[in-house]
Amino acid sequence: MAEDKNDNEEEQTEEKAGGKKKKLILSGIIGIVLIVTVVLVLWLFGGSSSSDEPATSGSGSPAPSSSSRPEVGNALYVGMPRAFVFIVPGDSRERTVQIKAQLMVRGEENEELAKKHIPLIEGTLHEVFSSSTADRLKTAEGKGQLRELALTEVRSALEEVTGKPVVEQVLFTSLVMQ
């Protein structure tokens, strides 16, 4: 009988230890879930900054103000149907460059105008891109200057034809130089 009591006590001790382990594991899982939830909430809602400083573009200069935007509306993207491939002079030899570009426009009307005038935009961009040099395209600053020049020229060409600048940004989605 004494042995049965000892066996029962050992089983109860093991059950208590097992119960403690289960509680510990459960509280660990709950803790992890809470941490993940907090991180997600901070990531989703804490990402916006409300500073009074003006926004800057990638080149460090102030971003265009809303008054210089072609139109207020949803940002839409118009992809160029083909990549631009051209040859530029370099230090020791000529380099082949391939640029894939997209245009950011505001509003559906500007999107339709940009799509309608793709040949004009392509011609303008090819002229601007092929006037660059390999040395300029090697640096981030040079790429930024090329984007700005492309934007200025495309806006100018479109304004002559449509009466408004249409395009807000020229974006490089790929730039390869060999």
Side-chain angles (χ1 to χ4, degrees), residues 7-110:
D7 287 341
N8 285 339
E9 287 177 12
E10 285 178 16
E11 286 177 11
Q12 288 177 353
T13 306
E14 286 177 12
E15 287 177 11
K16 287 180 183 178
K20 287 182 182 179
K21 285 182 183 178
K22 287 180 184 178
K23 287 181 183 179
L24 185 61
I25 291 172
L26 185 61
S27 65
I29 290 173
I30 291 172
I32 291 172
V33 169
L34 287 174
I35 290 172
V36 169
T37 304
V38 169
V39 168
L40 283 174
V41 168
L42 290 175
W43 179 67
L44 290 173
F45 298 109
S48 63
S49 63
S50 59
S51 66
D52 293 333
E53 297 176 19
T56 59
S57 63
S59 62
S61 61
S65 65
S66 60
S67 62
S68 67
R69 287 184 179 158
E71 180 181 316
V72 177
N74 291 336
L76 302 169
Y77 299 92
V78 178
M80 295 291 99
R82 293 170 285 286
F84 297 91
V85 179
F86 51 94
I87 296 174
V88 293
D91 313 353
S92 57
R93 63 183 176 96
E94 292 181 333
R95 304 275 185 160
T96 302
V97 178
Q98 176 184 331
I99 296 178
K100 292 181 183 175
Q102 290 196 11
L103 309 174
M104 186 175 95
V105 298
R106 295 276 176 182
E108 292 178 9
E109 181 184 346
N110 284 339

Side-chain angles (χ1 to χ4, degrees), residues 1-9:
M1 186 74 110
E3 288 179 17
D4 286 339
K5 276 188 172 180
N6 286 340
D7 287 341
N8 285 339
E9 287 177 12

